[in-house]
Amino acid sequence: MGERCILGAVEKDLVRDIIQWDVANWKHLLKIGAPVLQKFESGEAASFGEREGGLSLWLALNGFRAECSDYNLPKEIPFPLHVKREVVDLIHYSQQDITAISFEENRFDVVMFKSVIGALGDKQKQETAIAELYRVLKPGGYLIFAENTEASVFHRYARKKFTHWGHRWRYLPKAELPQMLNEFQFIELKHFGFFATFGRSEKQRTFLTFFDRIFVPIMPKKWRYFVVAVCRKPDEQPTSKA
């Protein structure tokens, strides 16, 4: 296995392998998630919605034994990537519905996903997915994710007009996030991006990130199009009332 990839930005090609699209913006997930992974010398981790295997690659590079999971069995696309990066011995592949995860309770130190629960299409399924991720985390474990949010009226129009999934995807309203994550003891939410998502190619998105760096810091959070979250499960689980 190669160099331990704590901070993510070891090389541009590696960051691209992990994030895969809209890399210049969504690599914020690596910067925010890295201090959490640094707390562990090794451990058990799982990533969901892993059709291309980028997050399981990152977990394995940081020494975790990683479950690479997707609604469809995710092996054909991720496997060559994991072989190339010399982490395949640390990765197991499994088919998982994120609203009904088959793993046992309190199994993982870290669970991750990126742009997954919007595809579930309704609030109840999204809340069920978060509850399932909470269930499979060990006490004191971390959920780390990046997800598209409702964003501005311009984003909502463009998604419906120009993306074939825009009418069925439920983008997370920012106001719902704290309640959806309220079982977690520690929650850090950071919102990013405005212009880059309008790019039709990765080259265009990278160019538009230049304007994001200048203008997004002065924009309202509700206009930004994705959120990065770090959430910690409490060390001790509350006892149920008789």
Side-chain angles (χ1 to χ4, degrees), residues 146-179:
E147 186 64 42
N148 290 285
T149 55
E150 220 173 26
S152 71
V153 64
F154 305 105
H155 293 92
R156 294 195 290 273
Y157 174 79
R159 287 160 172 168
K160 290 180 179 179
K161 184 74 172 176
F162 301 113
T163 61
H164 65 272
W165 64 85
H167 67 285
R168 56 183 170 80
W169 196 284
R170 185 178 188 266
Y171 294 91
L172 289 178
K174 291 181 176 65
E176 287 183 9
L177 279 167
Q179 180 61 32

Side-chain angles (χ1 to χ4, degrees), residues 37 40 42-48 55-56 58-60 62-69 90-92 103 107-112 136-138 142:
L37 302 191
F40 300 89
S42 62
E44 297 283 341
S47 50
F48 295 86
L55 295 181
S56 50
W58 192 44
L59 289 165
N62 281 279
F64 289 89
R65 295 177 297 278
E67 282 284 345
C68 176
S69 301
L90 286 172
I91 296 176
H92 181 261
F103 300 129
R107 173 169 173 178
F108 297 107
D109 298 289
V110 176
V111 296
M112 299 189 72
V136 301
L137 271 175
K138 294 178 182 178
Y142 288 87

Side-chain angles (χ1 to χ4, degrees), residues 55-108:
L55 295 181
S56 50
L57 167 62
W58 192 44
L59 289 165
L61 285 170
N62 281 279
F64 289 89
R65 295 177 297 278
E67 282 284 345
C68 176
S69 301
D70 192 62
Y71 190 76
N72 300 304
L73 184 63
K75 191 161 185 180
E76 182 176 346
I77 297 175
F79 188 74
L81 172 65
H82 297 157
V83 171
K84 181 183 79 169
R85 292 295 179 180
E86 301 179 7
V87 296
V88 71
D89 290 343
L90 286 172
I91 296 176
H92 181 261
Y93 303 88
S94 62
Q95 188 170 2
Q96 295 288 336
D97 177 350
I98 199 171
T99 65
I101 298 170
S102 67
F103 300 129
E104 64 272 21
E105 187 175 357
N106 301 333
R107 173 169 173 178
F108 297 107

Side-chain angles (χ1 to χ4, degrees), residues 220-236:
K221 287 183 181 179
K222 64 182 180 180
W223 290 5
R224 305 175 194 182
Y225 69 87
F226 75 100
V227 63
V228 176
V230 174
C231 313
R232 185 177 184 273
K233 187 173 180 175
D235 290 311
E236 296 182 8

